[in-house]
Amino acid sequence: RLLLEKKKKKREIKLKKKDGKEIIVLENSRAVTDFNGTIMYYEGIVQDITKRKEAENAIVRLNAQKDKFLSIVSHDLRAPFNSIIGFAEILINDSSDYTNEQKRDFLVYIKQAAEQQLCLLDNLLNWSRFESGRIRFEQKPTNLKSLVDKVILSLLGNALKKQINLFYNIPHNLTVYVDESLILQLLSNLISNGLKFTPKNGKVWVEINGYDSEYVKISVNDTGIGI
């Protein structure tokens, strides 16, 4: 009998080996028919593509991590730069309105914001290592007022530029058990968002809403449109 047609099929299939291990195979097969359409026989090959699929999935995960990292960098690094630019613009445009002592304070704020920027960059790089499993989450006793003070100073220039009252009310002797770099990043994000969406002459402040031996409830508040 004469052969008329070869119907091809290509598909990925999950299979289990005798030892219970799951593998992925690529099946390339075809059905050979005669002129009447009757299938005469099947032929094809099966190829183990498990390692290839694992490599492809790893690339997808890495691309997702890269996109997430770039998104965070573009957002988190913006706020301290705004503070530095804000103080610089005050010194450039309104320098005659301030005393030498005040100007010196502004330069101190610029230095502190730049240092905070460098710290934030280090934290973001640590975060990328944390996401890839190369760094561990590290908690330690930390003075909460000192931690909030660092964030406030790094964003004060942006607040002054927009004429927003940025302040905090944290007890001096309150110690929390946290990963300092991650909490700094968290507070910086919340406060910078508050400054961004609060109009001129508004207020942004950080305060404690309650605490006991197990937890501390801290809030970032503003008089803006809200999130």
Side-chain angles (χ1 to χ4, degrees):
R1 289 183 286 179
L2 297 175
L3 303 181
L4 175 63
E5 189 178 4
K6 295 179 180 179
K7 297 180 180 179
K8 298 180 180 179
K9 182 181 291 186
K10 183 177 181 179
R11 60 177 178 170
E12 293 180 4
I13 309 171
K14 286 185 177 181
L15 300 176
K16 271 191 176 181
K17 300 173 71 174
K18 287 184 178 180
D19 60 4
K21 183 180 179 181
E22 191 175 81
I23 62 173
I24 301 174
V25 299
L26 178 64
E27 178 193 40
N28 282 284
S29 61
R30 59 185 180 182
V32 182
T33 66
D34 60 16
F35 280 104
N36 296 320
T38 303
I39 296 176
M40 303 196 53
Y41 60 87
Y42 294 94
E43 62 182 12
I45 59 171
V46 175
Q47 179 186 6
D48 186 346
I49 59 169
T50 306
K51 290 185 177 180
R52 191 182 83 188
K53 294 299 292 184
E54 288 175 350
E56 290 174 355
N57 291 335
I59 291 173
V60 170
R61 288 194 298 270
L62 286 172
N63 283 332
Q65 285 183 355
K66 179 199 69 176
D67 292 341
K68 188 176 181 182
F69 178 70
L70 291 176
S71 174
I72 290 175
V73 167
S74 65
H75 179 273
D76 290 11
L77 294 186
R78 209 178 288 263
F81 271 126
N82 287 336
S83 185
I84 293 171
I85 292 170
F87 279 122
E89 287 180 347
I90 289 173
L91 290 172
I92 293 170
N93 299 324
D94 306 308
S95 59
S96 60
D97 297 335
Y98 298 94
T99 66
N100 288 334
E101 185 64 26
Q102 288 175 318
K103 292 175 185 177
R104 183 184 179 281
D105 288 340
F106 291 160
L107 290 173
V108 170
Y109 293 146
I110 290 174
K111 179 177 179 293
Q112 291 173 331
E115 290 172 343
Q116 179 69 12
Q117 184 83 331
L118 180 60
C119 179
L120 180 57
L121 180 59
D122 288 337
N123 292 340
L124 287 170
L125 294 174
N126 285 335
W127 174 84
S128 69
R129 291 196 289 271
F130 178 77
E131 284 289 292
S132 60
R134 290 179 289 157
I135 194 171
R136 289 185 295 179
F137 179 73
E138 295 182 358
Q139 292 176 293
K140 63 180 181 180
T142 306
N143 181 273
L144 185 58
K145 182 179 182 298
S146 176
L147 191 149
V148 174
D149 189 55
K150 289 180 182 178
V151 181
I152 294 292
L153 285 175
S154 72
L155 300 172
L156 196 56
N158 194 22
L160 288 174
K161 182 181 177 181
K162 292 189 66 176
Q163 298 181 30
I164 293 174
N165 185 14
L166 176 60
F167 61 96
Y168 62 95
N169 182 19
I170 307 291
H172 290 269
N173 59 347
L174 189 58
T175 299
V176 290
Y177 193 64
V178 296
D179 184 300
E180 183 174 344
S181 64
L182 294 179
I183 295 299
L184 282 172
Q185 191 173 323
L186 169 65
L187 289 173
S188 179
N189 285 342
L190 292 175
I191 296 171
S192 62
N193 280 336
L195 292 171
K196 181 178 180 180
F197 295 106
T198 296
K200 182 179 177 181
N201 298 321
K203 295 190 298 182
V204 177
W205 70 99
V206 184
E207 64 182 356
I208 296 296
N209 298 112
Y211 62 92
D212 58 24
S213 60
E214 297 295 329
Y215 75 95
V216 174
K217 186 176 181 181
I218 183 171
S219 65
V220 177
N221 312 275
D222 62 72
T223 56
I225 62 175
I227 299 177

